[in-house]
Structure formats: structure tokens, C-alpha cells
Amino acid sequence: MQTETIIYIILSGILALSIALFQYLYKSKKGKLNIYFTGLRFITIFSVLLLLVNPKFEQVSLYIEKPNLVIAVDNSSSIVHLDRDNSAKSFVENVKNNTAIYNKFNVDIYTFGKDLNTTDSIAFSEQQTDIDKAFHQLSQIYKNTISPTLLITDGNQTYGNDYTFSAATFKQPIYSIILGDTITYSDLKIQQLNVNRYAYLKNRFPVETIVVYNGNDNVTTRFQITSGNTIVHSEQINLNKSNNSKVINFTLPASGVGVHSYKAEIQPINSEKNIINNSKNFAVEVIDQKTEVAIVSSFSHPDLGALKKSIESNEQRKVTFLKPLDAVSQINDFQLTILYQPNDYFKKLFEVLDEKNKNRFVITGTQTDWRFLNTANENYTHSLTNQTEDYLAELNTNYATFIVEDLDFESLPPLKSSFGDIKFSTPIETILYKKIGSISTENPLLATFETNSKREAILFGENLWQWRAQSYLNVKSFNEFDNFMGKLVQYLASNKRRNRLNVDYESFYNGNTSIIIKAQFFNKNYEFDNRESLNITVKNTITEEINVFPFVLKNNSYQVDLSSLPASEYSFTVKASKENVSKSGNFKILDYSIEQQFLNANVTKLQQIATNSKGSSYFIENYDGLVNELLNDNRYASIQKSNKKSIPLIDWKYLLILIALSLAVEWLLRKYNGLI
């Protein structure tokens, strides 16, 4: 308590006593009762003055903090494939039922596949394993705590970065519970198969296959590619202990438009235990032509390279860089022209684009000549200033021309552009709004519009390359940003009439990926309608089985998850329940489970991360010493901690009771003795 507060309390006591003595011993007649009245009045006045001073008292409470014991269980299907699912469940149950463990630790159980989940429901049904992500998330949860971690897994990762690096930064001891053994079996497998997703009609597309042999003998086998019942490629390969891998390169003809499925396989050897990894299915979509995109600029800028990379991430599109004057004579070769920061050099190009009614995408920035651009188009004008401004992006969730995923736009760096008001003379649909600092505006940053059957988009800002880079930092992939740009280019490169029902899907899916189909439904005014109910009827064209799934509304689109469907060929129809509007299509699901490609546990890596983290490793069949090790390790002792709180006197309710009681007793005594 501060010295100043103590002085105020002493002064309050002196003042309260002085007032009480003055009222009952100085002004009143002296009597035996006055002493009691003086005491009661002193208590009342002193208590009220204490409330005004409101001193604070420190309260210290002691508690025991137990260390955490984190149990992270690999919930992927590879555990079932290795026949360790029952052993893993039994181990978790034994730990959960161990009283000594629960007395010493706070036990937290997680499962992980592609994501980390806070549940002890173990089904071993996940189709991907990302141990790296599990370590990253556990590092955030148990930062600055004592939390030894039991990692129950086969150590085989199918997704994400190498987990030895994240385990090295994980500041907790790791106890690897290895679901597997050290026995090595002879095995042939297709380690990797590389093929482009798209091919062009009447061309040949390359296929690269890596075959790996694990064994000591000399083996001769045959590798072949089949399409249906037809063998389209075949060759003999020889492998042994020293020459245990082979890269096979060849090309296949793209003879017909559409999705073509193939199967790559190696004939198994006699002693082979796992033959599932001897084959892989793949598919290629053959298309008739590419979408040609021209990027026109009169100077160099990092945005140009970022746009090319983003657009050409889809192999159906090709980008060509042109100067404004060169683009004039080649304009008919392109379905879309991107005009980067136009100036006077673009005058002839704008005239040709208007004459031929060509689609365009205008990107403006600090070097845009707005005096020229205001006269070169009839759809918008920008006030002329010499100032620049940084604009953040804010997604318009009501944009309905095509489905736009939120890339967490507000986390992306600001784009730089000229400052000033923009006026549109034609109706527009805004994809992104401008945001200055924390202030949202209704001014468009990125917008689309249609005039005279011509589609246009305009972006008011440069430095898109920073968006692509930041998107990669956010999600460790360029895919999200590239898909966003791809949808914008797809819309601008086409002049097809708008449909009231749009369905977004792929021609084929790998069996180990999520199968999400998205749809948008518009009313008769082409405004997004979130009141409609959409259903998809999916028919397996091989088994004739029919299933109906409802779409769910999410942001500005409808979505349905078809990941539960088995590998096969499907036709589907999406239909609105309230109106006679529907759309049909076809897709394939390729038969492939990456979790079934493993024959052994990754013992070496699991032992390595346990040793490096000052933990231990155990095989699931021999974990008896683990419990004793955890209970006897002095690093995991409970810690007594204190919690100091500063409590103001005004929160002490008993003082108010004391004031009320002293006033009541004084009043009753005075009433009883006829002094009132």
C-alpha cells in the first residue's frame, strides 16, 4: 500500500473520531450511552471515508500447475494398411486409464491427418498426413509451457514440408510411438508419375515415371500404360540393389477431345507384400485450343512477370508481351488484351479495340496517363491530381458475376495508384472495394462491366506482384491467387451469354483430394439469389447408382462436398427447387490412395526427432517403459505458482454491511432511549 494512501487513512480516522466526539461528547449532554453512540458514529463515518479513499489490498493465492501431456495420434488410413490401428487405439486407452499419468499431467488428446483436430475419436480414415502442420499448430498452443508430446504415427507424410524441420523448432520433448517395424520387404513401386493436366488435340504429351525397387535381388519386370483394355506403351526394366531406380520418359498421342484416363503399372515380383503401390491412375484433358492473352505495356514492371506466371499456371492459357504499336496488327490473335498503365502510346490500340469490340482488362497505377485514358474510353473518368495513395482491398461478398474466393484480401499489401474520384457512366459490378487504412469506402478497386456484348475489367492500382508474393506467404502456395486471376481472365476472355445457373467443377479429380463443386444461382435480373435451394443428382455411369446431395450456402456461392464418392465416372445435374433451371455435366474420380503406398514405418526419421528433442522412441508393441519414464522424469514436476491480485476496498461488501449495521444499531438505541 502506498504511503499516500496510509496518510489518507490516518487522516480519515482522525476526522471521523473528531466528528463523533464533537457530536456526542462536546455538543450533547454527557452520559454513559454517549460513549456507545460515539463509537458507532465513528465506525460509520470512518467506513464511509475509507470508501472514498478506496485503498487497495494485495491478495495472494497459491495453486499447483501440472505439466501437459500431449497425445497426437496419426488418424490416416495408412495405419490400417500397416495393421497397427488396434494397437494404436489400445495404447491411447491405456494412457487415458492410467491414474498415475492423470495425477501428474493434464492430458490433451489430438488426432491429425491433413489438419490437427482436438478430439480423441480415432477412425483412421484421413486420406492425407501432414505431420509438419501438426507440429506448427502444437507449437502455438503449448508455447511457454512444459508439454512432453507423444507422437503416435508411422512417420509417413503425404502432404506439407519435411517435419524434421518443424520438429527441430518444437520446444517440447517428443516421444515417438512407432506404428510399424524394422523388417524390410522386397518391393517395387511407382514412386512418382509426372504428367501435364492438359494436352492439345493432335499433339503428343510427355509422361515421366519414376520406378523404385527395394530389395537385394536382381529383378526383371515390365512397365506398361493402359487406356481401358488397350496397352498404349510397354517396356521391360531391370533393377537390383545398386541400380534400384529408373526414370521412364515417353510421349502419348492426344487423339480426341475430352478427358482420357490411363493406368501406369509394374508387374509385381513373387516375394512382394504390397502390390497396391505398383500402379497409378492418371488422366489428361485434351483441348482443342489455348486461350491467348496479350499483355501490353510501354515499360517494364514486376507486375508483368507476376501476371504471366499467374495466368499461365493454367496450361490452357498463353501470355504474350507486346508493345502498344506491335499489338495493333496482332489484336485478332488474342481473346483478351491486358492494358498495363496506358498512356499516349496506346491511342491507336484503343481505337482498334473499340472498332473490333474486343474484351480488355485495364490496370492503372502511378504511371498511368489519366488525361489520355479519360478521353480514350467512354465508361469512366478519373479526376486529375498529382497525388498518389495506397489502397488496401476489401472483398465485396455480394459480387455475383463469377465465384470469388476470399484470399484474405485485407492482409495483402496496399496497391499504389493515383488519388482522386472515379465516375462511371455505365453500371459496374465491384469485386474489391478500396480501403484506406481502417476506413472502408464504396469506391471500386477492381470492377467488371459489360457494354455492347464486350466485357471489361479495371484495376485501380499497381504492385500486384506483392499480392501474389504475400498470398504465397499466407498459405504456402500461389494457387489461391492464381485461381482468382484465372477466373477473372476466364470471364474476360469469353463473350458467352450469362446463365442463371453457373457450376464450377473440374473434369477429373484425384481420389486423394477433396471434391468440392460450387454453384451460383441468379434471379431474372441476374442478381445473386441466396434464397434458392439447389440439389445435385450424381449418377455413377458404371454402376448406375444415383445419389442426391443438397448444396449449402457459403458467402456468395453454393457448395457441395462429394469427397465420399468412390472412384468412378459420374454424370450430374444441378437443379433449382423453385424454378425450372438446371445444368448438367460429367467428371471422373481417379482411383488412388496415397496412404496405401507405404510398406514400412519411417523408423529412422521418428527416432531422429525423438533423440534431437531429448525424448525417446518406442515401438507400439514395446512401450512398457514409457509410463515409468514419464512419471520419473524430473523435468515434468508440478510447479507451485502464486497469483497476486490487487483488490480495492470498495469491492469488499462486508464494509457496506458494517456501515448499515452501525447506523441501524445507533438508531435503535436512540429510539429505545427516547432520544428520537
Side-chain angles (χ1 to χ4, degrees):
M1 191 180 297
Q2 295 181 354
T3 304
E4 184 180 356
T5 303
I6 296 174
I7 294 173
Y8 282 139
I9 292 174
I10 295 172
L11 292 176
S12 298
I14 295 172
L15 180 60
L17 182 62
S18 300
I19 293 173
L21 291 173
F22 178 78
Q23 288 180 329
Y24 284 106
L25 295 181
Y26 179 72
K27 282 290 186 180
S28 302
K29 295 180 180 179
K30 295 181 180 179
K32 187 176 180 180
L33 287 174
N34 285 359
I35 297 175
Y36 297 110
F37 291 146
T38 301
L40 291 170
R41 183 57 58 88
F42 169 76
I43 292 172
T44 301
I45 297 173
F46 183 59
S47 298
V48 172
L49 291 174
L50 278 180
L51 288 177
L52 294 175
V53 174
N54 193 26
K56 292 180 174 61
F57 300 92
E58 290 184 350
Q59 183 183 63
V60 179
S61 58
L62 300 177
Y63 64 95
I64 301 297
E65 184 178 272
K66 296 191 293 185
N68 303 301
L69 179 63
V70 180
I71 302 177
V73 186
D74 187 341
N75 199 28
S76 64
S77 59
S78 65
I79 307 303
V80 178
H81 183 60
L82 293 174
D83 196 25
R84 293 296 187 274
D85 50 327
N86 291 327
S87 301
K89 287 182 179 179
S90 176
F91 172 80
V92 174
E93 287 300 318
N94 288 339
V95 174
K96 287 170 61 177
N97 296 327
N98 191 303
T99 305
I101 288 290
Y102 268 81
N103 287 338
K104 182 169 183 175
F105 296 97
N106 294 317
V107 179
D108 297 326
I109 301 177
Y110 298 86
T111 61
F112 63 88
K114 191 173 180 180
D115 296 295
L116 184 73
N117 300 298
T118 55
T119 177
D120 57 358
S121 177
I122 309 170
F124 301 110
S125 58
E126 297 267 0
Q127 297 303 309
Q128 296 274 18
T129 308
D130 191 348
I131 304 175
D132 173 71
K133 186 175 183 180
F135 275 130
H136 276 297
Q137 292 180 333
L138 289 173
S139 295
Q140 296 300 316
I141 298 171
Y142 295 100
K143 187 188 301 182
N144 301 324
T145 64
I146 300 173
S147 306
T149 300
L150 308 187
L151 182 67
I152 307 170
T153 180
D154 58 5
N156 294 315
Q157 179 167 285
T158 64
Y159 195 88
N161 299 320
D162 189 337
Y163 60 87
T164 55
F165 298 106
S166 53
T169 60
F170 186 62
K171 304 301 182 183
Q172 308 292 345
I174 300 170
Y175 293 84
S176 299
I177 312 302
I178 304 170
L179 301 177
D181 53 45
T182 57
I183 299 174
T184 301
Y185 301 94
S186 295
D187 184 52
L188 273 171
K189 68 176 178 178
I190 297 178
Q191 178 73 28
Q192 191 168 338
L193 192 149
N194 301 317
V195 62
N196 293 334
R197 189 177 181 91
Y198 303 98
Y200 298 97
L201 186 64
K202 299 179 181 179
N203 286 346
R204 297 183 69 88
F205 59 90
V207 180
E208 181 182 68
T209 309
I210 302 174
V211 178
V212 174
Y213 168 63
N214 184 16
N216 298 318
D217 301 326
N218 294 329
V219 296
T220 299
T221 186
R222 180 158 291 278
F223 170 81
Q224 64 183 27
I225 301 289
T226 57
S227 177
N229 296 322
T230 305
I231 298 176
V232 296
H233 179 83
S234 177
E235 63 180 271
Q236 181 175 294
I237 57 175
N238 300 304
L239 298 168
N240 52 51
K241 184 177 181 180
S242 58
N243 182 27
N244 62 355
S245 66
K246 183 175 179 62
V247 179
I248 305 171
N249 291 288
F250 54 94
T251 61
L252 296 175
S255 54
V257 174
V259 178
H260 298 267
S261 298
Y262 300 89
K263 184 177 184 179
E265 57 185 334
I266 320 166
Q267 291 180 357
I269 56 179
N270 294 331
S271 59
E272 206 164 351
K273 181 180 179 181
N274 179 18
I275 61 172
I276 295 176
N277 59 12
N278 285 46
S279 63
K280 279 190 178 183
N281 293 295
F282 66 98
V284 174
E285 184 175 0
V286 179
I287 55 180
D288 199 4
Q289 62 179 0
K290 276 188 175 183
T291 299
E292 298 283 348
V293 178
I295 298 180
V296 184
S297 177
S298 59
F299 59 92
S300 299
H301 194 281
D303 282 354
L304 305 180
L307 285 167
K308 179 179 173 66
K309 287 282 189 182
S310 183
I311 295 170
E312 289 188 344
S313 64
N314 186 324
E315 296 169 25
Q316 298 181 74
R317 305 187 181 105
K318 180 182 178 182
V319 171
T320 303
F321 290 120
L322 294 171
K323 294 293 184 181
L325 294 178
D326 297 333
V328 172
S329 60
Q330 304 178 44
I331 202 65
N332 289 326
D333 297 337
F334 303 99
Q335 287 78 49
L336 173 63
T337 304
I338 299 177
L339 308 169
Y340 190 78
Q341 302 212 42
N343 51 35
D344 284 331
Y345 294 108
F346 286 72
K347 183 177 180 181
K348 183 62 177 178
L349 179 58
F350 267 88
E351 292 174 357
V352 173
L353 287 171
D354 290 337
E355 178 186 341
K356 297 183 178 295
N357 208 36
K358 288 282 190 177
N359 295 353
R360 69 196 72 173
F361 179 18
V362 178
I363 300 176
T364 68
T366 57
Q367 299 185 57
T368 302
D369 186 347
W370 276 106
R371 196 178 303 277
F372 159 75
L373 192 54
N374 285 340
T375 59
N377 84 95
E378 300 176 350
N379 300 309
Y380 49 84
T381 57
H382 192 291
S383 58
L384 301 178
T385 66
N386 293 322
Q387 296 177 298
T388 60
E389 183 63 82
D390 292 333
Y391 296 109
L392 293 168
E394 183 175 30
L395 179 64
N396 174 19
T397 56
N398 295 319
Y399 182 79
T401 302
F402 54 85
I403 298 172
V404 178
E405 299 291 340
D406 188 357
L407 310 184
D408 192 12
F409 284 102
E410 296 188 31
S411 73
L412 302 181
L415 300 184
K416 187 174 287 293
S417 185
S418 300
F419 177 78
D421 294 330
I422 307 156
K423 294 182 180 179
F424 284 87
S425 57
T426 189
I428 66 167
E429 293 189 77
T430 302
I431 301 177
L432 301 173
Y433 289 113
K434 288 180 178 179
K435 189 174 181 182
I436 304 175
S438 60
I439 301 173
S440 300
T441 72
E442 293 298 319
N443 297 323
L445 179 64
L446 174 61
T448 60
F449 53 93
E450 297 185 28
T451 56
N452 301 322
S453 301
K454 174 182 63 181
R455 293 179 174 178
E456 293 189 42
I458 182 165
L459 174 67
F460 297 98
E462 63 180 68
N463 294 333
L464 267 176
W465 67 272
Q466 294 182 3
W467 278 17
R468 191 168 188 261
Q470 184 62 49
S471 178
Y472 180 85
L473 294 176
N474 289 347
V475 297
K476 308 302 180 187
S477 171
F478 292 116
N479 290 342
E480 289 195 2
F481 178 83
D482 292 347
N483 289 340
F484 167 70
M485 291 301 301
K487 287 182 179 180
L488 180 60
V489 169
Q490 182 181 10
Y491 163 74
L492 293 172
S494 172
N495 285 320
K496 291 181 180 179
R497 183 177 176 272
R498 291 182 65 180
N499 298 314
R500 291 185 59 194
L501 178 61
N502 294 328
V503 181
D504 186 7
Y505 68 100
E506 300 287 345
S507 299
F508 63 90
Y509 299 88
N510 289 318
N512 61 321
T513 59
S514 297
I515 303 170
I516 306 294
I517 293 181
K518 300 178 182 179
Q520 283 185 318
F521 182 79
F522 305 97
N523 60 25
K524 293 180 180 179
N525 293 325
Y526 289 100
E527 297 169 335
F528 180 70
D529 188 349
N530 59 7
R531 297 168 299 176
E532 184 58 80
S533 296
L534 299 182
N535 293 296
I536 182 170
T537 302
V538 182
K539 180 181 179 180
N540 188 320
T541 57
I542 296 176
T543 65
E544 301 293 324
E545 183 181 357
I546 297 176
N547 292 289
V548 179
F549 301 91
F551 280 83
V552 296
L553 182 65
K554 186 176 181 181
N555 297 329
N556 63 332
S557 67
Y558 295 87
Q559 297 185 13
V560 63
D561 189 346
L562 303 180
S563 302
S564 60
L565 294 176
S568 188
E569 298 181 12
Y570 295 91
S571 62
F572 70 87
T573 300
V574 178
K575 189 173 183 180
S577 61
K578 298 177 184 177
E579 298 193 42
N580 188 25
V581 179
S582 63
K583 190 165 186 178
S584 300
N586 298 276
F587 63 87
K588 292 182 180 180
I589 302 177
L590 303 180
D591 186 13
Y592 179 68
S593 175
I594 193 170
E595 291 290 338
Q596 293 183 356
Q597 306 302 307
F598 302 106
L599 188 63
N600 296 95
N602 198 331
V603 177
T604 303
K605 190 175 288 188
L606 291 175
Q607 290 176 336
Q608 176 188 343
I609 64 172
T611 302
N612 292 344
S613 65
K614 298 182 180 179
S616 302
S617 60
Y618 293 84
F619 287 94
I620 191 65
E621 296 84 0
N622 186 24
Y623 63 85
D624 297 336
L626 173 63
V627 172
N628 289 332
E629 182 177 349
L630 291 172
L631 294 176
N632 297 324
D633 196 320
N634 294 328
R635 292 178 295 173
Y636 313 138
S638 297
I639 301 173
Q640 185 182 68
K641 292 188 175 182
S642 62
N643 186 18
K644 184 186 290 185
K645 293 182 179 179
S646 183
I647 303 174
L649 186 65
I650 199 169
D651 291 342
W652 196 50
K653 59 185 178 182
Y654 297 106
L655 186 60
L656 298 176
I657 296 173
L658 179 63
I659 294 172
L661 186 61
S662 63
L663 287 172
V665 171
E666 182 182 350
W667 185 85
L668 288 172
L669 286 176
R670 290 170 62 84
K671 183 72 174 177
Y672 181 78
N673 290 281
L675 299 176
I676 297 178

